[in-house]
């Protein structure tokens, strides 16, 4: 099976993190390491059902995974997709840095040729 397109993976991460509640959930999971939807809902102004739905979106983007402990479902962050999105941003940022540096050089040459 071919590897996933890095841009598609980044799209999923950015879409999942476009919501402030999902960003807050991801940050809480980062602090706790692992938590249930009920535990997370206690720390946010949304219902457990809303937290569960948001966690499903984060899981769909590969940002969280689950494990069962008895009757509980524990969620924990998975940093791989976030790292891939950050690598994509760094690559695009580097390209823009190169373009802006070239533009700056061209503008500097133009100023030095002006009377």
């Amino acid at each position: 099976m071919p590897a996933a397109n890095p841009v598609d993976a980044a799209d999923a991460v950015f879409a999942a993190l476009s919501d402030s509640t999902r960003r807050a959930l991801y940050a809480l999971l980062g602090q706790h390491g692992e938590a249930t939807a009920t535990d997370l809902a206690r720390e946010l102004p949304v219902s457990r059902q809303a937290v569960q739905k948001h966690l499903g979106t984060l899981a769909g983007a590969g940002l969280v995974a689950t494990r069962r402990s008895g009757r509980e479902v524990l969620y924990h962050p998975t940093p791989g997709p976030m790292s891939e999105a950050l690598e994509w941003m760094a690559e695009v940022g580097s390209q823009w840095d190169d373009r802006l540096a070239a533009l700056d050089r061209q503008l500097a040459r133009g100023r030095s040729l002006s009377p």
Side-chain angles (χ1 to χ4, degrees), residues 20-79:
S20 62
T21 300
R22 288 192 289 270
R23 288 191 306 273
L25 278 170
Y26 196 68
L28 282 172
L29 282 173
Q31 292 169 8
H32 294 292
E34 193 172 59
T36 66
T38 301
D39 293 335
L40 294 166
R42 286 187 192 116
E43 298 187 48
L44 295 170
V46 296
S47 68
R48 189 191 70 71
Q49 291 80 6
V51 166
Q52 193 89 29
K53 186 173 180 177
H54 286 301
L55 288 167
T57 301
L58 291 169
L63 291 167
V64 299
T66 62
R67 78 171 180 87
R68 253 198 196 285
S69 176
R71 293 176 42 172
E72 294 186 319
V73 176
L74 295 162
Y75 293 84
H76 59 275
T78 52

